[in-house]
Amino acid sequence: MREKIDTLTQNLARTIVGKHEAIRLVLVALLGGGHALLEDVPGVGKTLLAKSLARSLDGKFQRLQCTPDLLPTDITGTNIWNPKSGEFTFLPGPVFANILLADEINRATPRTQSALLEVMEEHQVTIDSVSRPVPHPFFVIATQNPIEYQGTFPLPEAQMDRFMLSLSLGYPGATEELEMLQNLQKGMSFTDLQPCITLDEVAELRKICSQVRVETSLQQYILELVRSTRQDEEITLGVSPRGTVALQKATQALAFLSGRDYAIPDDVKFLVPHVLCHRLIARGGRNPRTVIDRILRSVSIP
């Protein structure tokens, strides 16, 4: 399984040049059983990372381009009348896939965004009182541009809480951008990637990650960090218990990716900004990252 992970990482690094941390975080969300939100300016490779991951997994991939006129049924599917059989036939939407790319998710209206709430948490959709499970494993990777606000709808707190972590790719360095140009000249593309890991292996990896040891002292550290966000005077909305669970699962996945069967405090410290920042609301327009950094410094490390 370690060899599978190394091969998958190398596969993604072929198209996402110099973004090893972003690749690791996306794999943490995948193996931790969560979902990932990519927030960054246009053109830095958010969609490319999602499509490269989909090409590397031997599963069904669907892309959803979010627009203001998108309807909830365009995501979940709908029942269509079949005149031949004289009954309704269910036409599944793009959520019935193993990897769903929700591109520019904040361009969809709140009504449409809410269609993802049930499926991201319970891995099923309910249409006309009938619940239908989506394929397993199910992984949502969404992108949004945090700079442009015209024609966008901010994700509600309940939607943000569904994502295990959020990350930003950032601009590449001079060396990485030169390598991108050279790869382009060589004709390299994400379409050249071949599947290197099966869905059964992803399920097995998730099971292994869930067995990574997290000592009680480290769990207490996680709890103190989360509970501090609920009591801090600079925070209006603290992290929910779902965020507590997500932080432990992400910590287990990161420990496994680091080649360990046990988690350490450094795993938690590295993941806290990515797992907690998007779940809280800071007072007075403060930067959540600044508040989280202060909390990290104030809570003693076990």
Side-chain angles (χ1 to χ4, degrees), residues 100-141:
L100 173 65
L101 167 60
D103 214 359
E104 294 187 299
I105 188 172
N106 56 334
R107 289 197 178 279
T109 61
R111 178 188 177 194
T112 303
Q113 291 175 9
S114 65
L116 290 170
L117 291 175
E118 179 186 11
V119 69
M120 289 180 67
E121 180 66 18
E122 303 175 34
H123 295 181
Q124 67 175 25
V125 293
T126 302
I127 300 173
D128 294 339
S129 302
V130 177
S131 297
R132 293 178 171 85
V134 295
H136 181 77
F138 177 69
F139 179 63
V140 175
I141 181 168

Side-chain angles (χ1 to χ4, degrees), residues 24-69:
R24 169 161 288 206
L25 286 170
V26 168
L27 294 182
V28 163
L30 175 66
L31 301 184
H35 309 288
L37 176 64
L38 276 62
E39 300 181 281
D40 218 323
V41 296
V44 294
K46 301 186 300 295
T47 304
L48 179 60
L49 174 57
K51 293 169 72 173
S52 298
L53 177 63
R55 296 281 300 187
S56 301
L57 299 184
D58 189 17
K60 184 177 180 181
F61 169 71
Q62 292 278 19
R63 174 174 176 171
L64 186 66
Q65 185 65 51
C66 296
T67 54
D69 60 346

Side-chain angles (χ1 to χ4, degrees), residues 157 229-230 232-239 276-295:
E157 289 72 28
T229 67
R230 303 170 189 167
D232 196 284
E233 295 180 353
E234 295 184 354
I235 296 177
T236 302
L237 177 67
V239 176
L276 302 189
C277 278
H278 66 284
R279 301 176 188 273
L280 56 85
I281 298 178
R283 294 182 187 274
R286 292 181 174 86
N287 189 338
R289 180 62 183 264
T290 304
V291 179
I292 285 294
D293 288 343
R294 177 175 53 77
I295 291 176

Side-chain angles (χ1 to χ4, degrees), residues 192-222:
D192 298 328
L193 300 180
Q194 298 297 323
C196 59
I197 188 169
T198 66
L199 298 178
D200 290 338
E201 288 170 337
V202 172
E204 180 64 23
L205 285 167
R206 286 183 170 183
K207 183 178 179 180
I208 293 173
C209 289
S210 67
Q211 297 170 352
V212 171
R213 296 198 314 274
V214 182
E215 299 294 340
T216 303
S217 60
L218 192 55
Q219 290 177 327
Q220 289 288 351
Y221 180 54
I222 291 174

Side-chain angles (χ1 to χ4, degrees), residues 221 224-225 228-229 232 269 291-301:
Y221 180 54
E224 288 183 34
L225 289 169
S228 295
T229 67
D232 196 284
K269 290 179 63 179
V291 179
I292 285 294
D293 288 343
R294 177 175 53 77
I295 291 176
L296 274 172
R297 292 193 299 269
S298 65
V299 177
S300 58
I301 302 173

